[in-house]
């Protein structure tokens, strides 16, 4: 089995990770926004995500222009659309009704990364874990599509939660020692039962099947560690895609 | 065949007799009053009591739950004291393998039996927002609930409702209460679901069944067909999360 070191969480406090940024139609965490925007090599809004960007960057909007805005444009406000069009942001109407704006935004980002030969480690998404419940579920669906589109991890952050879909057939090493980790973490077998083994958690799994109705890991946390040494990576193997989520410490 | 009107519980004139569970999330005041007045049994899961306490300031004695359960790591001391003094049953349920919500439902099912209450639906306020793992835990609780009781367990927060549809049945969902929003959704949480529907704008049928994939497309946004009977008829092989 391949070792797949997932350095997910250095994306906001370490200059090493090169990221692509997607903004969805949910309130933006201002604090996360500025760190992520400044590190991003490519930045996009999915439809109404542009409204939140527009609002948040009032007074400095020209300094925060996305590379493109995509979607069926049924959420973006007319004044917002006009503003970014006039500033020459690429406006990409993607009207495919079988895919969500988020999925389409990622598809464009993957193409742009290839076309521009950008060196990107992670795609980070702001929004997607709150609001309408079917849209939260649709975010999870997009993460499945994303695995077919790209090998890059796609991380979703909203409020104090982060979620990422871990690929099957690999050993994932999650660095959880950035100092930004909140106290909870979770493994959820969203699409099918997952034969799972972990280490580094308070409640580990030892070749056990995670499945709804039997065993789902929520409100888990990290194993105790010597403060001088820092936390060891959490290791996870799974035979099917498995949704990892974790809390982010309030700053 | 299961006939069910998911939003009947929010209609003041609705027919369903309900049990009410309040979770640790902001309470929609409007829904709260309708549900509270119709409920035959009412409970808070741990920090849900904090929200009840805050919402009913000035009239708290008129809104006492039948019991509050949980490991009591979220309920505020003053809130716990208040409800204890008012003789609400305080049930410390410290099982770490089950969430407060699951335990609250287990107690409710027992109480319904013990008191021989006539209940049609258990309605939950909260559970679809906040910490992402707790949203997922809500879905897990709905799976556990199916083993505990035949009663539908409906979860409502903000402008979303979710219910887990049992496998092997034909569900008829009455979506004609007038309270329905414009979107609805079917999500195969936990396993692929072979599904057939009618009454939706985008139906699933013989030729369009969700083939076993890891996470078949969610058909969001879906909506109700116009000019067709307002019923939905999914027949399912695995539990399917239905969301409005």
């Amino acid at each position: 089995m391949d070792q797949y070191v997932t350095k997910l969480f250095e994306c906001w406090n370490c200059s090493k990770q090169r990221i692509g940024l997607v903004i969805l139609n949910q309130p933006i965490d201002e604090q996360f926004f500025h760190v992520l925007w400044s590190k991003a090599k490519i930045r996009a809004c999915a439809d109404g995500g542009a409204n939140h960007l527009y609002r948040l960057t009032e007074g400095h909007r020209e300094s925060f222009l996305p590379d493109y805005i995509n979607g069926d444009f049924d959420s973006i406000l007319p004044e917002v659309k006009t503003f970014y069009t006039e500033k020459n942001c690429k406006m990409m109407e993607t009207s495919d009704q079988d895919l969500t704006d988020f999925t389409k935004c990622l598809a464009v980002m993957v193409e742009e990364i290839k076309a521009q030969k950008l060196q990107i480690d992670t795609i980070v998404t702001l929004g997607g874990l709150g609001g309408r419940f079917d849209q939260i579920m649709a975010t999870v669906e997009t993460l499945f599509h994303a695995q077919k589109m790209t090998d890059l991890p796609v991380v979703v952050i909203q409020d104090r939660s982060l979620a990422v879909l871990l690929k099957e057939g690999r050993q994932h090493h999650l660095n959880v020692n950035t100092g930004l980790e909140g106290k909870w973490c979770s493994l959820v077998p969203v699409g099918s039962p997952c034969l799972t083994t972990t280490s580094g958690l308070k409640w580990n799994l030892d070749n056990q099947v995670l499945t709804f109705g039997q065993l789902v890991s929520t409100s888990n946390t990290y194993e105790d560690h010597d403060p001088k040494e820092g936390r060891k990576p959490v290791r996870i193997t799974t035979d099917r895609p498995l949704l990892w989520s974790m809390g982010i410490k309030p700053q």
Side-chain angles (χ1 to χ4, degrees), chain A residues 22-220:
Chain A
V22 170
I23 297 173
L24 301 183
N25 191 6
Q26 283 290 304
I28 300 179
D29 291 278
E30 189 166 357
Q31 192 183 357
F32 298 159
F33 168 77
H34 285 288
V35 175
L36 292 167
W37 186 276
S38 62
K39 289 148 80 67
K41 306 281 170 257
I42 180 171
R43 310 166 178 109
C45 299
D47 205 345
N51 300 336
H52 295 277
L53 177 66
Y54 185 81
R55 190 174 312 129
L56 186 71
T57 57
E58 188 183 354
H60 316 275
R61 287 182 180 129
E62 280 87 353
S63 305
F64 295 96
L65 300 175
D67 295 289
Y68 66 92
I69 301 171
N70 80 293
D72 37 30
F73 293 150
D74 59 356
S75 301
I76 190 170
L77 297 168
E79 61 173 297
V80 175
K81 190 174 178 200
T82 303
F83 175 81
Y84 289 115
T85 307
E86 285 174 355
K87 297 293 173 188
N88 293 321
C89 302
K90 221 188 291 186
M91 306 299 281
M92 305 175 79
E93 192 156 355
T94 47
S95 54
D96 181 346
Q97 283 306 317
D98 284 343
L99 299 174
T100 61
D101 292 335
F102 180 20
T103 304
K104 291 178 282 190
C105 191
L106 281 181
V108 172
M109 186 163 285
V110 168
E111 284 309 308
E112 289 291 309
I113 287 169
K114 268 190 221 152
Q116 299 178 37
K117 297 186 174 28
L118 296 173
Q119 298 301 310
I120 300 285
D121 303 303
T122 309
I123 296 175
V124 181
T125 310
L126 280 176
L129 303 181
R132 256 172 60 171
F133 187 63
D134 69 328
Q135 290 180 343
I136 300 175
M137 295 292 100
T139 294
V140 177
E141 169 71 348
T142 294
L143 296 182
F144 277 81
H145 283 291
Q147 289 197 347
K148 290 183 262 180
M149 290 188 229
T150 176
D151 253 354
L152 295 176
V154 179
V155 162
V156 186
I157 294 172
Q158 182 164 354
D159 203 9
R160 292 287 168 270
S161 297
L162 178 151
V164 62
L165 189 64
L166 300 177
K167 283 187 173 174
E168 63 213 76
R170 301 183 182 193
Q171 192 177 83
H172 298 271
H173 291 206
L174 304 183
N175 176 343
V176 291
N177 201 33
T178 63
L180 295 172
E181 289 74 19
K183 58 180 183 171
W184 64 268
C185 58
S186 169
L187 286 166
V188 181
V190 275
S192 63
C194 297
L195 186 60
T196 310
T197 300
T198 71
S199 68
L201 300 175
K202 183 163 182 181
W203 292 282
N204 282 304
L205 297 152
D206 183 7
N207 215 36
Q208 290 166 269
V209 175
L210 289 174
T211 185
F212 275 96
Q214 310 264 349
L215 184 62
V216 171
S217 180
T218 60
S219 294
N220 206 331

